Amino acid sequence: MMETLVSAEAVAKSYGNFSALSDVSFTISSGVTGLLGANGTGKTTLLGMMLGLHQVSGGTLTVLGVDPFTDGHQIRARMGYAPEHHTLPGDVRAADFVHHVAELHGLPPREAKTRASDALWLVGLGEERFRPMGTMSTGQRQRVKLAQAIAHDPALVLLDEPTDGLDPEQREDMLRLIRTVATTFEISVVLSSHLLDEVERVCDAAVIIGDGRTLASGSLDSLRGTGADVVVEVGTVQEAGQLGAALERRAVGHRIAGRSVVIRGDDDSVFDLTRDLCVEAEISIHRLNRRRLSLEDVYLERAS
Amino acid sequence: MTAEIFDRGYRQYTGERSGVGGAMRTLIKHSVKRSLGLGRPARFKIVPIAIILFAFTPAVVFVGIAALIPEAIGDEFLPTYAEYYAFIVTTLYLFAAFIAPDLLCTDRRTGMLGVYLASPLDRRTYLIAKALAVAIMLGIVTIGPPLFLMIALAFEGSGPDGFLGTLDVGARIIAAGAMMSTVYTAISFAVSASTERSGAATAGTLGLLVGSTALVNITADNTDVSENIRLGSLLELPTELAFRIHGEVGEWQPDDISTVSMSLAVVAIVGLSTAWVWSRYGPLLVRR
């Protein structure tokens, strides 16, 4: 059974009259979990509450089994955090910075120094570790932030927009690293992001937030599930149009996207009808299956 | 034969963690090193080394003269402990104006505050650790040189008498030095908590110290208000109280301004500064 690391039950947070979060409920287990939502939906507020920096205004939040606000220092010793911003102290060397953060999390100085060096090697900055952070590229600084978050061997790491500002190649590397942190180093990760495809590629589960509440949460498989539509991919765009016209005549809901036709409904009669119409009009079927939802579909569906 | 490490691996850490106390010690150590410019490019070492040299040089020279030619100097050659603050007070203002902004403003501007608050530290323990670091640095300047002076006075033959006398003078030096460090830490913290820009905080600290003194003295010298208005002089109050701690009288006469009033003014300055700093950091949302 997977260990529950974070549990939120009807969590709310308000600042004066402004309500940042109104009803957020989810559980986060080991592995990589995406915290998804548009900019300004309260992701960072939620991360702040997980770190015990802000008190919840309502509901219950537990992290690693305890209340993060009252036992914050205990939790934070076992958590890593990589902030979103890139403006780390420019005159400090990466190795010194990671060493310092590891010591802050309770490691003895000698252990912290060794682990800082190891962590920088693991994120691919072994040769660059004595460079001042002000001379590093955005990609390198993102790696330094990841290194400082994992150097003290936390149980849970919170990464706030870790691919922000990276080019596609650097982004690939960062996502691979995050996956390695979870699978090889066995450190669970909460990845806050507004990029759906990023979460879809690297995460085992996701929590989707919008309008201050949980829109959806669970494993990616359970979130995507199977759609309520059938997708048929035909040979040409013209054939797609032919099939669309035949469906129109029978008043069957559908939409055309290139060579694919998405037909409303997923029971066996839809499959039979599609097959019959295609045979009748001599349309070649290349693929016929239930539509699998992407995270984007789920997000748009729940958000609407 | 050479060996090459191909996989450094990742090791679990199962040892003890030092908790909040350890995090505070780490932050104090790191802040003191940063203030001294250690581990930073050479240009960051210039100001702290120059200030420490300026503060210690007169005391070291006094020790040398008193040790080498004690007969050539009269009893009045060496300054008293309180008088020595005149040599170091400018370096103290400068130190306070440079250190606190560098330690506080930089953390907020670079987002390091968020990294610190994601460790076992919270706002309160973070600020205490930073304040202790600044006070330690200022203490180097306010306590170190008078201790050297005690040695010089001993060579001259006017040092403290016996073990108890030495303890008494030592305690006064530490009390006066700690009081001055605390006041200037509090003032520079209050200004540094008001801006993210180190330069503005440095200028603001110096401006507040000089401005308050100028305003108070102009008012006191040109109106009939009570002499107690001079308690608002942030440059003079700590030095004058240091005189009283050493059992001496400075510019301010005890009949005009009592030691109790001065002590209460110091407590008020530290209290107000602390309240201001907390009001700035308490509701502060950690920057991403």
Side-chain angles (χ1 to χ4, degrees):
Chain A
M1 188 175 160
M2 291 179 92
E3 184 191 0
T4 298
L5 300 171
V6 183
S7 169
E9 186 63 46
V11 166
K13 179 66 189 173
S14 53
Y15 300 98
N17 292 329
F18 173 70
S19 173
L21 298 169
S22 56
D23 180 15
V24 175
S25 300
F26 59 83
T27 57
I28 291 176
S29 304
S30 46
V32 185
T33 302
L35 185 58
L36 268 172
N39 286 326
T41 50
K43 298 192 297 293
T44 300
T45 300
L46 196 52
L47 291 183
M49 289 197 290
M50 287 186 205
L51 287 164
L53 303 180
H54 318 302
Q55 192 168 15
V56 297
S57 306
T60 312
L61 179 67
T62 56
V63 179
L64 305 176
V66 295
D67 180 339
F69 192 72
T70 54
D71 298 302
H73 60 93
Q74 272 181 41
I75 288 174
R76 291 193 294 270
R78 296 172 56 208
M79 284 173 80
Y81 171 61
E84 181 186 358
H85 65 83
H86 307 307
T87 52
L88 295 169
D91 57 338
V92 178
R93 293 180 301 190
D96 294 339
F97 171 65
V98 179
H99 173 196
H100 178 47
V101 177
E103 260 196 90
L104 281 170
H105 282 84
L107 269 59
R110 189 182 295 266
E111 183 76 19
K113 188 171 187 177
T114 310
R115 293 186 69 93
S117 183
D118 288 351
L120 285 163
W121 274 99
L122 289 167
V123 299
L125 288 176
E127 304 289 346
E128 314 287 338
R129 65 191 187 282
F130 295 120
R131 270 178 57 187
M133 291 187 289
T135 65
M136 290 182 159
S137 68
T138 303
Q140 287 171 323
R141 267 178 278 169
Q142 287 284 28
R143 285 165 184 257
V144 173
K145 287 194 288 179
L146 181 62
Q148 62 83 27
I150 64 170
H152 62 281
D153 189 26
L156 177 64
V157 169
L158 309 181
L159 305 177
D160 200 354
E161 305 280 2
T163 58
D164 188 41
L166 302 186
D167 64 35
E169 196 177 334
Q170 291 172 328
R171 192 165 158 245
E172 282 303 313
D173 288 345
M174 179 55 76
L175 292 177
R176 202 177 306 123
L177 269 172
I178 291 168
R179 197 67 218 165
T180 305
V181 167
T183 54
T184 310
F185 307 164
E186 296 177 351
I187 299 171
S188 294
V189 177
V190 172
L191 167 67
S192 167
S193 177
H194 64 280
L195 301 172
L196 296 159
D197 67 317
E198 189 169 274
V199 169
E200 193 150 25
R201 282 167 50 201
V202 79
C203 293
D204 306 304
V207 176
I208 304 175
I209 295 175
D211 294 332
R213 61 193 174 86
T214 317
L215 297 177
S217 73
S219 70
L220 286 199
D221 286 341
S222 70
L223 283 175
R224 287 182 299 210
T226 52
D229 299 329
V230 168
V231 182
V232 56
E233 187 182 318
V234 296
T236 63
V237 174
Q238 289 75 16
E239 286 181 337
Q242 276 178 270
L243 179 57
L247 289 164
E248 192 75 53
R249 286 194 292 276
R250 289 172 181 262
V252 176
H254 69 281
R255 64 184 166 85
I256 299 169
R259 291 191 295 120
S260 297
V261 182
V262 181
I263 306 166
R264 182 67 48 81
D266 68 344
D267 57 26
D268 288 346
S269 65
V270 176
F271 283 91
D272 292 343
L273 175 66
T274 307
R275 179 203 59 207
D276 294 344
L277 289 176
C278 288
V279 169
E280 204 173 280
E282 295 183 344
I283 295 169
S284 56
I285 297 176
H286 285 207
R287 189 163 60 86
L288 178 63
N289 56 266
R290 286 189 171 85
R291 186 164 68 100
R292 189 171 175 77
L293 297 177
S294 69
L295 213 47
E296 187 176 358
D297 296 325
V298 175
Y299 180 79
L300 292 173
E301 189 180 302
R302 303 293 174 98
S304 64
Chain B
M1 185 176 164
T2 57
E4 194 172 345
I5 298 170
F6 288 99
D7 181 11
R8 300 174 70 92
Y10 186 84
R11 296 171 293 114
Q12 308 282 315
Y13 176 73
T14 53
E16 288 281 309
R17 290 181 191 258
S18 58
V20 180
M24 288 179 73
R25 282 193 298 276
T26 300
L27 183 55
I28 292 168
K29 184 178 73 177
H30 176 80
S31 300
V32 167
K33 284 171 69 177
R34 180 177 173 84
S35 297
L36 289 170
L38 302 177
R40 301 173 78 188
R43 68 179 185 279
F44 292 104
K45 297 176 174 68
I46 295 170
V47 170
I49 289 174
I51 286 175
I52 289 171
L53 278 178
F54 276 125
F56 275 85
T57 299
V60 173
V61 169
F62 287 139
V63 171
I65 292 172
L68 297 173
I69 46 170
E71 66 286 349
I73 58 172
D75 287 349
E76 300 298 314
F77 176 74
L78 295 178
T80 65
Y81 298 106
E83 284 170 350
Y84 189 83
Y85 293 121
F87 290 100
I88 59 171
V89 79
T90 308
T91 60
L92 184 60
Y93 307 149
L94 289 173
F95 222 10
F98 279 101
I99 292 173
D102 184 46
L103 293 184
L104 282 192
C105 301
T106 308
D107 282 354
R108 291 207 309 283
R109 195 181 66 251
T110 62
M112 270 304 285
L113 180 62
V115 175
Y116 283 127
L117 297 185
S119 77
L121 298 168
D122 57 22
R123 289 172 173 81
R124 187 176 56 87
T125 48
Y126 165 82
L127 287 170
I128 291 172
K130 284 282 178 177
L132 284 172
V134 176
I136 287 169
M137 290 298 295
L138 297 184
I140 293 173
V141 174
T142 57
I143 296 173
L147 289 174
F148 270 91
L149 185 64
M150 188 164 69
I151 298 169
L153 287 165
F155 280 126
E156 190 198 47
S158 50
D161 293 328
F163 177 70
L164 286 180
T166 307
L167 267 188
D168 178 50
V169 172
R172 287 171 192 266
I173 288 172
I174 290 170
M179 179 273 297
M180 294 178 86
S181 301
T182 305
V183 172
Y184 290 116
T185 298
I187 293 169
S188 58
F189 253 54
V191 177
S192 302
S194 311
T195 174
E196 285 188 2
R197 299 167 65 91
S198 308
T202 298
T205 303
L206 291 172
L208 184 63
L209 293 173
V210 174
S212 68
T213 303
L215 187 68
V216 161
N217 285 340
I218 288 168
T219 307
D221 293 344
N222 296 289
T223 64
D224 293 331
V225 295
S226 161
E227 279 292 297
N228 279 318
I229 195 174
R230 293 189 192 276
L231 294 170
S233 167
L234 299 178
L235 279 184
E236 293 171 330
L237 172 64
T239 316
E240 288 292 329
L241 184 55
F243 268 93
R244 304 285 173 91
I245 289 172
H246 283 288
E248 301 173 35
V249 175
E251 296 285 321
W252 297 356
Q253 296 305 306
D255 290 344
D256 296 332
I257 304 172
S258 70
T259 305
V260 173
S261 303
M262 291 162 71
S263 304
L264 289 174
V266 161
V267 170
I269 289 168
V270 174
L272 285 173
S273 299
T274 307
W276 173 251
V277 171
W278 187 247
S279 76
R280 301 287 298 173
Y281 274 82
L284 188 73
L285 289 179
V286 176
R287 182 178 157 186
R288 290 187 292 169

